[in-house]
Amino acid sequence: MFSRSGFARCCGIFSIMLASQTGAATVEVRVSAVEGTTGKVNVAVCDKERFLKDCAYSASVPARAGTTTVTVENVPPGTWAVLAYHDENGNGKLDRNLLGIPSENYGFSRDAAGKFGPPGFEAAAIEVGEGTTVAPIKLH
């Protein structure tokens, strides 16, 4: 049996665990226009502060020609931007040519595109609620 203080500690820990699970969401990223089956499709879910830097949530799966679905779990509800790229050579980064232009296909949520570089956060931002949010991305 629990003592009164042991019971309080136990219930407090259980409450914290329950609270952390109820606030988590899943982002299901459906990446289309994947060419070939070599390498992986990498996805990152970023807040405004970390957009295009070191995103807080990411996942990758082996590439499947056509559409590859990547699931990112435990994302807090809020405003996020999603980016994806086909890491064909499996080196864990988006390769670029000598001019700095990506040489592997990539895309953003809301099909956001920049004129002379990547889009801004607002152009790619989506709302993630509790449960599952589907984010379609077409690679270019």
Side-chain angles (χ1 to χ4, degrees):
M1 288 287 164
F2 287 113
S3 67
R4 183 173 238 136
S5 62
F7 180 76
R9 267 194 309 266
C10 170
C11 291
I13 291 169
F14 179 73
S15 296
I16 290 169
M17 288 172 45
L18 188 60
S20 68
Q21 290 177 351
T22 59
T26 298
V27 179
E28 183 178 290
V29 187
R30 296 180 185 163
V31 183
S32 63
V34 176
E35 297 176 358
T37 58
T38 60
K40 293 185 173 196
V41 173
N42 296 333
V43 167
V45 179
C46 312
D47 61 10
K48 188 172 185 173
E49 181 182 326
R50 296 183 189 150
F51 184 60
L52 300 176
K53 298 174 188 158
D54 188 23
C55 300
Y57 302 94
S58 62
S60 65
V61 299
R64 295 184 60 191
T67 299
T68 300
T69 300
V70 184
T71 302
V72 183
E73 297 180 341
N74 298 318
V75 177
T79 304
W80 299 90
V82 184
L83 55 105
Y85 69 96
H86 183 183
D87 183 14
E88 292 183 63
N89 60 6
N91 67 355
K93 64 180 183 176
L94 178 63
D95 293 329
R96 300 171 186 275
N97 65 20
L98 293 174
L99 300 174
I101 298 170
S103 58
E104 293 177 310
N105 292 333
Y106 67 95
F108 293 89
S109 46
R110 296 181 50 203
D111 208 22
K115 294 189 188 238
F116 298 104
F121 176 82
E122 290 77 16
I126 62 169
E127 288 300 317
V128 173
E130 290 188 19
T132 300
T133 300
V134 175
I137 294 181
K138 182 179 181 184
L139 297 183
H140 301 278

